[in-house]
Amino acid sequence: MLLAGVRGLTLAVVSLCCSVALFVLCTLSLTSTVLGVGVVTTPPLFGLVGRFADWRRRLAAEWAGVRIDPVRASPPEPAPTGLLAGVRVFGRLLRNPATWRQFGWLATDMTAGFVSALLAAGLVFYPLEGYALAAGLWRVFTDGSSVGYWYGFVPVQGQATALLAGLLAAALSAVALFAAPLLLTLHFRLTKAVLGPSEEDLHRRVDHLTRTRHEAVDFSAAELRRIERDLHDGAQARLVAMGMSLGAVEALIEKDPTRAKELVVKARSESADALGELRDLVRGIHPPVLAERGLGPALEALALRTAVPVEVDLPLPGRAAGAIESAAYFAVSEVLTNAAKHAEARRVWLDAGYRDGMLHFTVTDDGRGGADAEGSGLRGVARRLGAFDGVLAVHSPEGGPTMVTMEIPCVLDEGHGATAH
Protein backbone atom coordinates (compact mmCIF):
# COMPACT_ATOMS: atom_id res chain seq x y z
CA MET A 1 0.00 0.00 0.00
CA LEU A 2 2.74 2.46 0.93
CA LEU A 3 4.72 1.55 -2.21
CA ALA A 4 1.63 2.12 -4.36
CA GLY A 5 1.12 5.49 -2.66
CA VAL A 6 4.68 6.63 -3.29
CA ARG A 7 4.53 5.46 -6.90
CA GLY A 8 1.15 7.11 -7.39
CA LEU A 9 2.50 10.40 -6.06
CA THR A 10 5.53 10.14 -8.35
CA LEU A 11 3.34 9.48 -11.37
CA ALA A 12 0.98 12.32 -10.46
CA VAL A 13 3.85 14.81 -10.31
CA VAL A 14 5.39 13.47 -13.53
CA SER A 15 2.03 13.40 -15.34
CA LEU A 16 1.23 16.97 -14.38
CA CYS A 17 4.69 18.41 -15.08
CA CYS A 18 6.30 16.45 -17.91
CA SER A 19 3.14 15.54 -19.85
CA VAL A 20 1.78 19.11 -19.73
CA ALA A 21 5.14 20.57 -20.76
CA LEU A 22 5.61 18.12 -23.65
CA PHE A 23 2.00 18.49 -24.82
CA VAL A 24 2.25 22.29 -24.90
CA LEU A 25 5.63 22.23 -26.65
CA CYS A 26 4.48 19.70 -29.26
CA THR A 27 1.28 21.66 -29.90
CA LEU A 28 3.22 24.89 -30.37
CA SER A 29 5.72 23.11 -32.62
CA LEU A 30 3.01 21.61 -34.82
CA THR A 31 1.13 24.89 -35.13
CA SER A 32 4.33 26.70 -36.06
CA THR A 33 4.80 24.43 -39.06
CA VAL A 34 3.19 27.09 -41.27
CA LEU A 35 6.11 29.34 -40.39
CA GLY A 36 8.64 26.61 -41.12
CA VAL A 37 9.86 26.44 -37.54
CA GLY A 38 7.93 23.26 -36.70
CA VAL A 39 9.66 21.31 -39.44
CA VAL A 40 12.90 21.67 -37.49
CA THR A 41 11.60 21.49 -33.91
CA THR A 42 8.94 18.75 -34.16
CA PRO A 43 11.15 15.68 -34.86
CA PRO A 44 13.44 16.14 -31.81
CA LEU A 45 10.43 16.97 -29.62
CA PHE A 46 8.60 13.81 -30.60
CA GLY A 47 11.82 11.88 -30.16
CA LEU A 48 11.78 13.11 -26.55
CA VAL A 49 8.10 12.10 -26.27
CA GLY A 50 8.99 8.63 -27.55
CA ARG A 51 11.68 8.20 -24.90
CA PHE A 52 9.26 9.43 -22.24
CA ALA A 53 6.67 6.90 -23.46
CA ASP A 54 9.24 4.08 -23.41
CA TRP A 55 10.09 4.99 -19.82
CA ARG A 56 6.43 4.73 -18.87
CA ARG A 57 6.20 1.36 -20.63
CA ARG A 58 9.05 0.09 -18.46
CA LEU A 59 7.35 1.45 -15.32
CA ALA A 60 4.09 -0.25 -16.31
CA ALA A 61 5.84 -3.60 -16.57
CA GLU A 62 7.94 -3.19 -13.41
CA TRP A 63 5.36 -1.55 -11.12
CA ALA A 64 2.08 -3.14 -12.20
CA GLY A 65 2.94 -6.06 -14.48
CA VAL A 66 1.16 -4.33 -17.39
CA ARG A 67 2.93 -4.91 -20.69
CA ILE A 68 2.45 -2.13 -23.24
CA ASP A 69 3.66 -3.07 -26.71
CA PRO A 70 4.81 -0.20 -28.91
CA VAL A 71 2.84 0.56 -32.06
CA ARG A 72 4.65 -1.03 -34.97
CA ALA A 73 6.36 1.74 -36.84
CA SER A 74 7.05 2.00 -40.54
CA PRO A 75 10.13 0.20 -41.92
CA PRO A 76 13.37 2.05 -41.26
CA GLU A 77 14.51 4.53 -43.83
CA PRO A 78 18.02 5.90 -44.30
CA ALA A 79 18.55 9.43 -43.08
CA PRO A 80 17.78 11.74 -46.01
CA THR A 81 20.29 14.22 -47.29
CA GLY A 82 19.95 17.46 -49.19
CA LEU A 83 17.98 20.65 -48.77
CA LEU A 84 14.67 18.89 -48.17
CA ALA A 85 16.05 16.55 -45.49
CA GLY A 86 14.11 18.20 -42.66
CA VAL A 87 10.86 18.20 -44.65
CA ARG A 88 11.20 14.50 -45.44
CA VAL A 89 11.92 13.62 -41.81
CA PHE A 90 8.95 15.72 -40.70
CA GLY A 91 6.63 14.08 -43.24
CA ARG A 92 7.75 10.60 -42.22
CA LEU A 93 7.11 11.50 -38.59
CA LEU A 94 3.55 12.64 -39.31
CA ARG A 95 2.79 9.44 -41.25
CA ASN A 96 3.88 7.26 -38.35
CA PRO A 97 0.83 6.12 -36.29
CA ALA A 98 3.01 5.96 -33.17
CA THR A 99 3.43 9.76 -33.35
CA TRP A 100 -0.26 10.49 -32.94
CA ARG A 101 -0.79 7.80 -30.32
CA GLN A 102 1.95 9.37 -28.21
CA PHE A 103 0.48 12.85 -28.73
CA GLY A 104 -2.97 11.65 -27.63
CA TRP A 105 -1.45 9.84 -24.69
CA LEU A 106 0.11 13.07 -23.42
CA ALA A 107 -3.35 14.67 -23.27
CA THR A 108 -4.78 11.64 -21.47
CA ASP A 109 -1.85 11.32 -19.10
CA MET A 110 -2.08 14.89 -17.85
CA THR A 111 -5.83 14.56 -17.15
CA ALA A 112 -7.23 11.10 -16.41
CA GLY A 113 -3.78 9.68 -15.77
CA PHE A 114 -3.02 12.42 -13.27
CA VAL A 115 -6.34 11.86 -11.44
CA SER A 116 -5.92 8.06 -11.16
CA ALA A 117 -2.35 8.36 -9.88
CA LEU A 118 -3.29 11.13 -7.43
CA LEU A 119 -6.18 9.04 -6.05
CA ALA A 120 -3.80 6.18 -5.34
CA ALA A 121 -1.49 8.53 -3.47
CA GLY A 122 -4.34 10.32 -1.69
CA LEU A 123 -5.86 7.11 -0.34
CA VAL A 124 -2.51 6.22 1.22
CA PHE A 125 -1.41 9.58 2.63
CA TYR A 126 -4.67 11.35 3.45
CA PRO A 127 -5.34 9.05 6.48
CA LEU A 128 -2.11 10.34 8.05
CA GLU A 129 -3.85 13.66 8.63
CA GLY A 130 -6.70 11.92 10.44
CA TYR A 131 -4.29 10.06 12.69
CA ALA A 132 -2.52 13.33 13.49
CA LEU A 133 -5.81 15.00 14.41
CA ALA A 134 -6.73 12.12 16.70
CA ALA A 135 -3.31 12.32 18.33
CA GLY A 136 -3.91 15.96 19.34
CA LEU A 137 -3.31 18.09 16.27
CA TRP A 138 -6.96 19.26 16.55
CA ARG A 139 -5.87 21.69 19.28
CA VAL A 140 -4.07 23.76 16.67
CA PHE A 141 -7.36 24.48 14.86
CA THR A 142 -9.90 24.86 17.72
CA ASP A 143 -10.21 25.29 21.46
CA GLY A 144 -13.07 22.76 21.60
CA SER A 145 -15.91 25.30 21.55
CA SER A 146 -16.51 25.41 17.80
CA VAL A 147 -15.76 23.54 14.60
CA GLY A 148 -12.23 24.46 13.70
CA TYR A 149 -11.46 21.96 10.94
CA TRP A 150 -13.19 19.47 8.68
CA TYR A 151 -11.58 16.11 8.01
CA GLY A 152 -13.54 14.61 5.16
CA PHE A 153 -17.15 14.86 6.36
CA VAL A 154 -16.18 14.89 10.08
CA PRO A 155 -16.32 18.34 11.78
CA VAL A 156 -13.41 18.46 14.23
CA GLN A 157 -14.20 20.51 17.36
CA GLY A 158 -12.70 18.45 20.16
CA GLN A 159 -11.07 15.20 21.15
CA ALA A 160 -14.22 13.13 20.54
CA THR A 161 -14.67 14.33 16.99
CA ALA A 162 -10.90 14.05 16.44
CA LEU A 163 -11.18 10.38 17.35
CA LEU A 164 -13.98 10.06 14.78
CA ALA A 165 -11.59 11.57 12.27
CA GLY A 166 -9.07 8.91 13.31
CA LEU A 167 -11.68 6.19 12.75
CA LEU A 168 -12.43 7.60 9.31
CA ALA A 169 -8.69 7.60 8.57
CA ALA A 170 -8.48 3.93 9.64
CA ALA A 171 -11.38 3.09 7.31
CA LEU A 172 -9.66 4.93 4.46
CA SER A 173 -6.43 3.03 5.19
CA ALA A 174 -8.35 -0.25 5.02
CA VAL A 175 -9.76 0.78 1.64
CA ALA A 176 -6.32 1.96 0.47
CA LEU A 177 -4.83 -1.41 1.32
CA PHE A 178 -6.69 -2.87 -1.65
CA ALA A 179 -7.66 0.15 -3.72
CA ALA A 180 -4.27 1.92 -4.00
CA PRO A 181 -2.56 -0.92 -5.96
CA LEU A 182 -5.71 -1.29 -8.09
CA LEU A 183 -5.72 2.43 -8.89
CA LEU A 184 -2.07 2.24 -9.84
CA THR A 185 -2.83 -0.68 -12.15
CA LEU A 186 -5.80 1.28 -13.54
CA HIS A 187 -3.45 4.17 -14.32
CA PHE A 188 -1.19 1.91 -16.39
CA ARG A 189 -4.12 0.14 -18.07
CA LEU A 190 -5.38 3.55 -19.13
CA THR A 191 -1.91 4.24 -20.49
CA LYS A 192 -1.99 0.93 -22.36
CA ALA A 193 -5.41 1.69 -23.86
CA VAL A 194 -4.09 4.91 -25.40
CA LEU A 195 -0.42 4.17 -25.99
CA GLY A 196 -0.62 0.50 -26.97
CA PRO A 197 -1.62 -0.90 -30.36
CA SER A 198 -5.29 -0.90 -31.36
CA GLU A 199 -7.30 -3.96 -32.38
CA GLU A 200 -6.66 -3.10 -36.01
CA ASP A 201 -2.94 -2.96 -35.32
CA LEU A 202 -3.14 -6.37 -33.63
CA HIS A 203 -5.01 -7.84 -36.62
CA ARG A 204 -2.33 -6.53 -38.94
CA ARG A 205 0.29 -7.96 -36.61
CA VAL A 206 -1.36 -11.40 -36.67
CA ASP A 207 -1.55 -11.28 -40.47
CA HIS A 208 2.11 -10.28 -40.65
CA LEU A 209 3.19 -13.09 -38.29
CA THR A 210 1.10 -15.63 -40.22
CA ARG A 211 2.67 -14.58 -43.50
CA THR A 212 6.22 -14.54 -42.14
CA ARG A 213 5.68 -17.95 -40.50
CA HIS A 214 4.72 -19.47 -43.86
CA GLU A 215 7.67 -17.74 -45.51
CA ALA A 216 9.99 -19.04 -42.80
CA VAL A 217 8.75 -22.59 -43.35
CA ASP A 218 9.23 -22.25 -47.12
CA PHE A 219 12.68 -20.75 -46.59
CA SER A 220 13.69 -23.60 -44.25
CA ALA A 221 12.50 -26.16 -46.80
CA ALA A 222 14.52 -24.43 -49.54
CA GLU A 223 17.61 -24.38 -47.28
CA LEU A 224 17.19 -28.10 -46.58
CA ARG A 225 16.99 -28.84 -50.31
CA ARG A 226 20.10 -26.74 -50.91
CA ILE A 227 22.03 -28.64 -48.23
CA GLU A 228 20.91 -31.98 -49.68
CA ARG A 229 21.94 -30.86 -53.18
CA ASP A 230 25.33 -29.62 -52.00
CA LEU A 231 25.97 -32.88 -50.17
CA HIS A 232 24.93 -34.96 -53.15
CA ASP A 233 26.87 -33.00 -55.75
CA GLY A 234 29.91 -32.19 -53.62
CA ALA A 235 31.15 -34.12 -50.61
CA GLN A 236 29.13 -37.27 -51.34
CA ALA A 237 30.48 -37.53 -54.90
CA ARG A 238 34.05 -37.06 -53.68
CA LEU A 239 33.64 -39.68 -50.97
CA VAL A 240 32.29 -42.16 -53.55
CA ALA A 241 35.27 -41.44 -55.81
CA MET A 242 37.61 -41.89 -52.87
CA GLY A 243 35.97 -45.24 -52.07
CA MET A 244 36.45 -46.38 -55.67
CA SER A 245 40.10 -45.30 -55.57
CA LEU A 246 40.70 -47.26 -52.36
CA GLY A 247 38.99 -50.30 -53.95
CA ALA A 248 41.39 -50.06 -56.89
CA VAL A 249 44.31 -49.75 -54.46
CA GLU A 250 43.24 -52.95 -52.77
CA ALA A 251 43.27 -54.76 -56.12
CA LEU A 252 46.60 -53.30 -57.32
CA ILE A 253 48.64 -53.17 -54.13
CA GLU A 254 50.37 -56.52 -54.84
CA LYS A 255 50.34 -56.48 -58.66
CA ASP A 256 51.27 -52.83 -59.33
CA PRO A 257 52.52 -51.02 -56.17
CA THR A 258 53.48 -47.90 -58.11
CA ARG A 259 49.99 -47.46 -59.54
CA ALA A 260 48.48 -48.25 -56.11
CA LYS A 261 50.62 -45.51 -54.55
CA GLU A 262 49.35 -43.01 -57.13
CA LEU A 263 45.76 -43.95 -56.30
CA VAL A 264 46.44 -43.51 -52.57
CA VAL A 265 47.72 -39.98 -53.23
CA LYS A 266 44.62 -39.28 -55.31
CA ALA A 267 42.35 -40.64 -52.54
CA ARG A 268 44.09 -38.43 -49.97
CA SER A 269 43.52 -35.39 -52.19
CA GLU A 270 39.86 -36.31 -52.63
CA SER A 271 39.42 -36.69 -48.87
CA ALA A 272 40.93 -33.23 -48.30
CA ASP A 273 38.60 -31.74 -50.91
CA ALA A 274 35.60 -33.49 -49.34
CA LEU A 275 36.60 -32.21 -45.90
CA GLY A 276 36.91 -28.66 -47.26
CA GLU A 277 33.46 -28.85 -48.86
CA LEU A 278 31.96 -30.19 -45.63
CA ARG A 279 33.53 -27.31 -43.72
CA ASP A 280 32.12 -24.81 -46.21
CA LEU A 281 28.73 -26.46 -45.90
CA VAL A 282 28.84 -26.27 -42.11
CA ARG A 283 29.91 -22.64 -42.30
CA GLY A 284 26.92 -22.00 -44.55
CA ILE A 285 24.58 -23.55 -41.99
CA HIS A 286 26.03 -21.93 -38.84
CA PRO A 287 29.56 -20.50 -38.76
CA PRO A 288 31.59 -21.80 -35.79
CA VAL A 289 32.86 -18.29 -34.96
CA LEU A 290 29.25 -17.15 -34.62
CA ALA A 291 28.49 -19.82 -32.03
CA GLU A 292 31.77 -19.38 -30.15
CA ARG A 293 32.36 -15.62 -30.13
CA GLY A 294 29.11 -13.95 -31.14
CA LEU A 295 27.73 -11.77 -33.90
CA GLY A 296 30.31 -8.96 -33.81
CA PRO A 297 33.41 -11.11 -34.38
CA ALA A 298 31.50 -13.29 -36.88
CA LEU A 299 30.59 -10.23 -38.97
CA GLU A 300 34.16 -8.98 -38.71
CA ALA A 301 35.41 -12.33 -40.06
CA LEU A 302 32.78 -12.15 -42.80
CA ALA A 303 33.97 -8.67 -43.78
CA LEU A 304 37.55 -9.94 -44.10
CA ARG A 305 36.40 -12.65 -46.53
CA THR A 306 34.39 -10.24 -48.70
CA ALA A 307 35.85 -9.50 -52.13
CA VAL A 308 35.84 -5.71 -51.58
CA PRO A 309 37.29 -3.81 -48.60
CA VAL A 310 34.74 -3.49 -45.79
CA GLU A 311 35.03 -1.04 -42.91
CA VAL A 312 33.16 -2.28 -39.85
CA ASP A 313 31.85 -0.57 -36.73
CA LEU A 314 30.06 -3.13 -34.59
CA PRO A 315 29.55 -1.86 -31.00
CA LEU A 316 27.22 -4.66 -29.90
CA PRO A 317 26.85 -4.70 -26.09
CA GLY A 318 25.83 -8.36 -25.79
CA ARG A 319 24.64 -11.59 -27.35
CA ALA A 320 21.22 -12.16 -28.87
CA ALA A 321 19.41 -15.48 -29.19
CA GLY A 322 21.21 -17.95 -31.46
CA ALA A 323 18.48 -17.96 -34.11
CA ILE A 324 18.43 -14.16 -34.28
CA GLU A 325 22.23 -13.95 -34.54
CA SER A 326 22.15 -16.52 -37.32
CA ALA A 327 19.45 -14.63 -39.22
CA ALA A 328 21.32 -11.33 -38.85
CA TYR A 329 24.62 -12.91 -39.93
CA PHE A 330 23.23 -14.42 -43.13
CA ALA A 331 21.20 -11.30 -43.93
CA VAL A 332 24.34 -9.15 -43.73
CA SER A 333 26.26 -11.80 -45.67
CA GLU A 334 23.75 -11.67 -48.53
CA VAL A 335 23.85 -7.87 -48.65
CA LEU A 336 27.67 -7.82 -48.67
CA THR A 337 27.69 -10.43 -51.45
CA ASN A 338 25.31 -8.31 -53.51
CA ALA A 339 27.52 -5.25 -53.02
CA ALA A 340 30.61 -7.17 -54.15
CA LYS A 341 29.03 -8.97 -57.13
CA HIS A 342 26.41 -6.63 -58.55
CA ALA A 343 27.03 -3.08 -57.31
CA GLU A 344 30.59 -2.77 -58.69
CA ALA A 345 31.48 -1.22 -55.34
CA ARG A 346 35.06 -0.29 -54.44
CA ARG A 347 34.39 0.03 -50.70
CA VAL A 348 31.66 -1.01 -48.29
CA TRP A 349 30.81 0.26 -44.80
CA LEU A 350 29.11 -2.04 -42.28
CA ASP A 351 27.66 -0.47 -39.13
CA ALA A 352 25.70 -2.22 -36.39
CA GLY A 353 24.27 -1.22 -33.05
CA TYR A 354 21.59 -1.85 -30.47
CA ARG A 355 19.11 0.74 -29.19
CA ASP A 356 15.47 0.87 -28.13
CA GLY A 357 15.24 -2.93 -28.15
CA MET A 358 16.25 -3.14 -31.81
CA LEU A 359 19.32 -4.64 -33.43
CA HIS A 360 20.33 -2.28 -36.27
CA PHE A 361 22.53 -2.99 -39.31
CA THR A 362 23.44 -0.60 -42.11
CA VAL A 363 25.43 -1.66 -45.17
CA THR A 364 26.54 1.19 -47.43
CA ASP A 365 28.52 0.85 -50.65
CA ASP A 366 29.89 3.32 -53.20
CA GLY A 367 28.66 1.28 -56.17
CA ARG A 368 26.47 2.16 -59.13
CA GLY A 369 23.17 1.99 -57.21
CA GLY A 370 19.83 0.97 -58.65
CA ALA A 371 19.36 -1.96 -56.26
CA ASP A 372 15.83 -3.36 -56.29
CA ALA A 373 14.31 -4.24 -52.92
CA GLU A 374 11.98 -6.64 -54.73
CA GLY A 375 14.85 -8.52 -56.31
CA SER A 376 15.28 -12.17 -55.40
CA GLY A 377 18.33 -11.61 -53.18
CA LEU A 378 16.99 -8.74 -51.07
CA ARG A 379 13.52 -10.26 -50.98
CA GLY A 380 15.09 -13.38 -49.48
CA VAL A 381 16.82 -11.21 -46.88
CA ALA A 382 13.51 -9.54 -46.03
CA ARG A 383 11.86 -12.97 -45.62
CA ARG A 384 14.66 -14.13 -43.35
CA LEU A 385 14.32 -11.03 -41.16
CA GLY A 386 10.53 -11.16 -41.26
CA ALA A 387 10.54 -14.51 -39.48
CA PHE A 388 11.79 -12.58 -36.42
CA ASP A 389 9.60 -9.51 -36.99
CA GLY A 390 12.55 -7.72 -38.56
CA VAL A 391 12.35 -5.23 -41.41
CA LEU A 392 14.55 -4.13 -44.31
CA ALA A 393 14.73 -0.86 -46.23
CA VAL A 394 16.77 -0.01 -49.32
CA HIS A 395 17.88 3.43 -50.51
CA SER A 396 19.66 3.03 -53.84
CA PRO A 397 19.35 5.86 -56.38
CA GLU A 398 20.86 5.40 -59.82
CA GLY A 399 24.56 6.19 -59.62
CA GLY A 400 24.70 5.26 -55.96
CA PRO A 401 25.42 5.09 -53.18
CA THR A 402 23.34 2.18 -51.92
CA MET A 403 22.28 1.99 -48.28
CA VAL A 404 20.56 -1.11 -46.92
CA THR A 405 19.12 -0.80 -43.40
CA MET A 406 17.96 -3.78 -41.35
CA GLU A 407 16.33 -3.98 -37.91
CA ILE A 408 15.47 -6.95 -35.71
CA PRO A 409 13.69 -6.58 -32.34
CA CYS A 410 15.44 -8.61 -29.65
CA VAL A 411 16.86 -8.62 -26.13
CA LEU A 412 20.63 -8.79 -25.68
CA ASP A 413 22.40 -10.67 -22.92
CA GLU A 414 24.83 -7.94 -21.87
CA GLY A 415 26.82 -10.40 -19.82
CA HIS A 416 28.34 -11.70 -23.05
CA GLY A 417 29.42 -8.66 -25.01
CA ALA A 418 30.85 -8.77 -28.51
CA THR A 419 32.33 -5.66 -30.06
CA ALA A 420 34.41 -5.35 -33.20
CA HIS A 421 35.96 -2.40 -35.02
Side-chain angles (χ1 to χ4, degrees):
M1 179 186 69
L2 290 174
L3 188 60
V6 172
R7 289 173 172 176
L9 184 61
T10 303
L11 289 171
V13 173
V14 170
S15 298
L16 189 61
C17 298
C18 297
S19 296
V20 169
L22 287 173
F23 182 81
V24 171
L25 289 174
C26 289
T27 302
L28 291 175
S29 182
L30 288 171
T31 54
S32 65
T33 302
V34 293
L35 303 176
V37 179
V39 175
V40 178
T41 59
T42 300
L45 267 177
F46 273 98
L48 185 61
V49 173
R51 288 191 290 274
F52 181 49
D54 290 338
W55 176 69
R56 296 295 285 276
R57 287 188 178 96
R58 289 194 296 271
L59 289 188
E62 295 171 3
W63 288 4
V66 177
R67 179 179 175 182
I68 306 176
D69 294 323
V71 177
R72 184 176 176 82
S74 305
E77 297 182 24
T81 57
L83 296 176
L84 298 179
V87 176
R88 291 160 66 183
V89 171
F90 179 74
R92 192 163 69 238
L93 178 71
L94 296 186
R95 292 193 301 270
N96 192 340
T99 299
W100 300 108
R101 284 195 177 277
Q102 291 169 359
F103 187 63
W105 166 69
L106 289 176
T108 304
D109 191 53
M110 67 187 189
T111 52
F114 168 73
V115 171
S116 59
L118 188 63
L119 281 175
L123 276 177
V124 173
F125 296 115
Y126 185 57
L128 299 179
E129 183 181 349
Y131 298 143
L133 290 171
L137 185 64
W138 63 271
R139 294 184 176 86
V140 176
F141 304 103
T142 180
D143 58 1
S145 60
S146 61
V147 176
Y149 191 80
W150 284 81
Y151 177 74
F153 55 83
V154 176
V156 179
Q157 58 183 7
Q159 185 62 49
T161 51
L163 290 175
L164 287 177
L167 288 176
L168 177 59
L172 289 175
S173 293
V175 172
L177 187 63
F178 302 97
L182 290 178
L183 284 170
L184 191 66
T185 302
L186 175 64
H187 171 89
F188 287 117
R189 290 198 177 277
L190 179 64
T191 301
K192 180 178 181 179
V194 182
L195 197 57
S198 65
E199 187 174 349
E200 182 182 353
D201 295 327
L202 293 176
H203 283 307
R204 284 199 300 266
R205 171 90 169 132
V206 170
D207 292 339
H208 172 75
L209 291 177
T210 302
R211 184 176 65 255
T212 55
R213 183 188 64 184
H214 291 311
E215 291 176 348
V217 171
D218 294 340
F219 184 79
S220 298
E223 283 290 288
L224 182 60
R225 289 193 297 270
R226 180 189 66 81
I227 293 170
E228 292 174 345
R229 184 176 63 251
D230 291 346
L231 283 173
H232 182 272
D233 298 340
Q236 180 177 330
R238 293 189 181 279
L239 290 173
V240 169
M242 184 177 67
M244 294 175 63
S245 297
L246 291 176
V249 169
E250 185 179 7
L252 294 173
I253 194 168
E254 294 182 357
K255 298 179 182 179
D256 191 351
T258 303
R259 176 59 180 164
K261 184 177 180 180
E262 293 176 354
L263 291 176
V264 168
V265 173
K266 181 180 178 182
R268 184 187 298 117
S269 175
E270 289 171 344
S271 69
D273 292 340
L275 181 60
E277 291 187 358
L278 286 174
R279 285 174 175 168
D280 291 340
L281 185 62
V282 170
R283 187 181 296 113
I285 298 172
H286 193 79
V289 66
L290 181 61
E292 295 170 3
R293 300 182 58 196
L295 188 57
L299 291 178
E300 187 180 36
L302 176 65
L304 292 174
R305 295 198 305 270
T306 304
V308 297
V310 180
E311 295 184 13
V312 298
D313 184 14
L314 310 171
L316 301 178
R319 297 287 303 267
I324 292 178
E325 286 192 337
S326 179
Y329 175 87
F330 287 109
V332 173
S333 175
E334 179 68 25
V335 175
L336 289 178
T337 301
N338 287 346
K341 285 186 176 181
H342 307 300
E344 300 177 2
R346 295 182 299 275
R347 184 168 293 276
V348 179
W349 293 265
L350 169 60
D351 301 291
Y354 181 79
R355 63 182 181 274
D356 300 330
M358 303 289 287
L359 202 56
H360 300 262
F361 300 93
T362 303
V363 179
T364 309
D365 67 66
D366 60 356
R368 55 188 176 87
D372 183 10
E374 297 300 320
S376 59
L378 292 178
R379 192 168 63 247
V381 173
R383 284 201 303 269
R384 186 188 289 273
L385 298 177
F388 300 93
D389 206 20
V391 289
L392 175 142
V394 180
H395 179 71
S396 183
E398 291 294 336
T402 295
M403 180 183 293
V404 179
T405 306
M406 295 164 279
E407 290 184 352
I408 307 177
C410 66
V411 177
L412 295 189
D413 179 7
E414 299 186 4
H416 298 83
T419 302
H421 292 280

